[in-house]
Amino acid sequence: MQIEKYYFASEITVLGVCFVMLVLLFVSFKVRMKSFRIFVTMLSMLIVATCADLTLHYVIAGHPDAPRPLVYGLRSVYHVLLFCLLHHYCAYTCEVTNLPAKQRKPWIILATAMLILFSVADVVGIYSGRTMHIIDGEIAFEGSAIFSAGYIAFVTMLLALLIRVRHRLYKRVMNGFFGVIAISEVVLIVARLRGQSTYTAATFLFPLIAVMYLMHSNSYDIHLGANDLRGLNNLIRYSDEHDKHYLFLSLYMRELDETGKTFSEEMRALIRHVAESYYRGSALFQVSNGHMILMVPISRNPDYEERTRRTLEQFDVEYENFRYDFKMVIGQSTKELSRKNEYISFIRSIHARIPENTIYRVQPDDLNKYRKYEIILKELADIAAKQDPEDRRVLVYCQPVYNIRTGKYDTAEALMRLKNDELGIVYPDQFIPLAEENGYIHALTEIILAKTCRVLRNLVAEGYEITRISVNVSALELRDSDFCGDISRIIDGNGIDSSRIAIELTESRNDNDFMLMKERIEELKGKGITFYLDDFGTGYSNMERILELPFDIIKFDRSMVIAGSQSKRSEQVLGSLAELFSKLNYSVLYEGVENEKDEQMCCDLNASYLQGYKYSKPIPISELRGFLARG
Ligand code: C2E
Ligand code: CA
Ligand code: CA
């Protein structure tokens, strides 16, 4: 017969650590996924088991003649709960490794059978007084202790399970578990050899600490209070499974994404403040450097409209200090998006079509638009991957341009359309921003340029008088060092003269882009390509910079034509600008000339070229023949 040596201090420490863990879990963001719930149950079981053991020893030490049923009951609770805990380790392992239900079943059945068998045997042993005696206020045990047998059986089974699933988790994490189990067993063996039972609870605790650290550790960025994408995905999965509804507020600042800049200290403080104070139970997620999403449980914020109003008011005030361009999208979770977890791509689809510095509230129709967006995005990806210069999905439309000096249509602008089986003809406003954001734009430019060159070659061969056709190019494309080479290769490859091609570019605000633009234009101009400045007069115009770039033709945007036709003062401004450009040897082209009144005004204001619905809507490029003179 062996006397157990028992120290209260050890178990009190175990209890303390358990409570510390509970506090830590409570303060860090957790989606209440199944594995997490199992884990918390395990921790609670250990707390109750340890309390039962503490009480047992306290009772025995103080009252050696305490009623036996009480003593046996406490001992039984202690042992059975520890068996339950081992059983839960098995369930936890299956859950966290996503073991398929079919493979999970035998393990769970085995663990449950062991739980029942050992619990019953142990409790019977205790109550029959066969495994446990009380001698002088201390517990003694004898013979084949059933608990030890059960414990060894469970640990063996768990090790077998862990080995079975070892490839289902990252190797280092798995090694962590094996290491912790080994340490626990060493502690247990040493304790047993020295006749101590006190460390039993501790050996259950060590693996729990490992689980918490490796699987459920703090996911906050401590400066921002934000969680990462994985947390967001878990939350969405959970909300879908449990029918929980969320309000989402998404804030995107492109510049931070593009430059890799991080938030300033003040901004971090502000973000923390918003995430903490404006809604109850909200959680913040950082999707990328400049993209944050706040998820707000609607059930806890029935007054979310009012709260949102206050948040936006505060945003308005604070925005004055930060002044980054932003896009904000506010909406609610829907089954359709949750099921496939498509919030991020849904939000991005909205970003693609709203202007900077707008707050957008999701409309019911946005989901349809998003489906359309997905179709287009897929099509663009495929077009870009195939790189077929004759791709039938890319259509070249064009708009003839009237030359005032010659009185003929001798130039034209190529305008792109997509042809999609499901959507029919898709217009540029629906796919150009998407192509730009996803890096497909240059592939499209190559196709439209190649097709335009081929048509031009035919027109010239057929004897039509056509000076050149202009093609639109995105400023983004100029960043690629192959840009000039690609353009020259396509023009030369199609056997036409570079002077028959013009490139339309819009201004860029970005300093680096400006320098690049200058270099690229100079290089291609050297080959004889003409350059147009597109959309002059829309928003931002830096005259100093424009004059530094060697453009040939300035295209006055339709908004200038409208303004000029509406007020005398605007007409005067337009006239002086046009005169200035003409004096500096640029040609002036007016876009969006819709009627005779527009035409008359533009002719009076230094126009060289006119383009607009008055002459023709964009037409398939083959129909251009109808506008051209034939020599
Ligand atoms: P943009 O370069 O300013 O092209 C002129 C747009 O104004 C065309 O729209 C044209 O249909 C429209 N327009 C022409 N005349 C009139 C008029 O009298 N009144 C009005 N209200 N509008 C007129 P579209 O074809 O829908 O193209 C829209 C924009 O998409 C283009 O604006 C251009 O920025 C872009 N885009 C079109 N094709 C391409 C392309 O091949 N590559 C690139 N990167 N962008 C393209
Ligand atoms: Ca254009
Ligand atoms: Ca334009």
Side-chain angles (χ1 to χ4, degrees), residues 448-464:
I448 195 158
L449 179 61
K451 289 194 170 194
T452 303
C453 288
R454 248 173 292 132
V455 173
L456 260 171
R457 196 183 51 203
N458 291 340
L459 290 174
V460 172
E462 290 165 32
Y464 286 101

Side-chain angles (χ1 to χ4, degrees), residues 101-137:
K102 248 173 90 185
Q103 296 174 34
R104 214 180 266 217
K105 218 167 149 192
W107 292 99
I108 300 291
I109 292 175
L110 177 64
T112 311
M114 283 165 65
L115 171 66
I116 296 170
L117 184 78
F118 287 113
S119 297
V120 170
D122 196 65
V123 172
V124 169
I126 292 170
Y127 274 88
S128 64
R130 221 172 294 157
T131 49
M132 176 180 152
H133 302 280
I134 293 159
I135 300 167
D136 295 336

Side-chain angles (χ1 to χ4, degrees), residues 52-53 55-57 59-60 63-81 119-120 122-135 138-142:
D53 198 35
T55 318
L56 172 67
H57 285 89
V59 167
I60 292 171
H63 317 273
D65 49 353
R68 291 299 114 154
L70 172 68
V71 171
Y72 292 156
L74 285 169
R75 182 68 156 190
S76 301
V77 168
Y78 176 54
H79 279 183
V80 172
L81 274 176
S119 297
V120 170
D122 196 65
V123 172
V124 169
I126 292 170
Y127 274 88
S128 64
R130 221 172 294 157
T131 49
M132 176 180 152
H133 302 280
I134 293 159
I135 300 167
E138 286 197 280
I139 296 177
F141 53 90
E142 64 179 346

Side-chain angles (χ1 to χ4, degrees), residues 399 413-417 427-429 431-432 436 441 444-445 448 471-474 477 504 506 534-535 555 557-558 591-594 611-614 616-618:
Q399 203 175 18
E413 175 180 10
L415 294 161
M416 192 170 355
R417 309 285 183 259
Y427 289 85
D429 58 326
F431 69 85
I432 296 285
E436 287 181 341
I441 189 70
L444 293 180
T445 300
I448 195 158
V471 171
N472 291 280
V473 166
S474 278
E477 294 176 61
E504 298 196 7
T506 53
D534 204 354
D535 298 340
K555 295 186 81 169
D557 189 72
R558 165 154 175 78
E591 278 191 287
V593 177
E594 291 193 352
Q611 179 183 351
Y613 293 166
K614 166 149 200 308
S616 168
K617 298 217 158 165

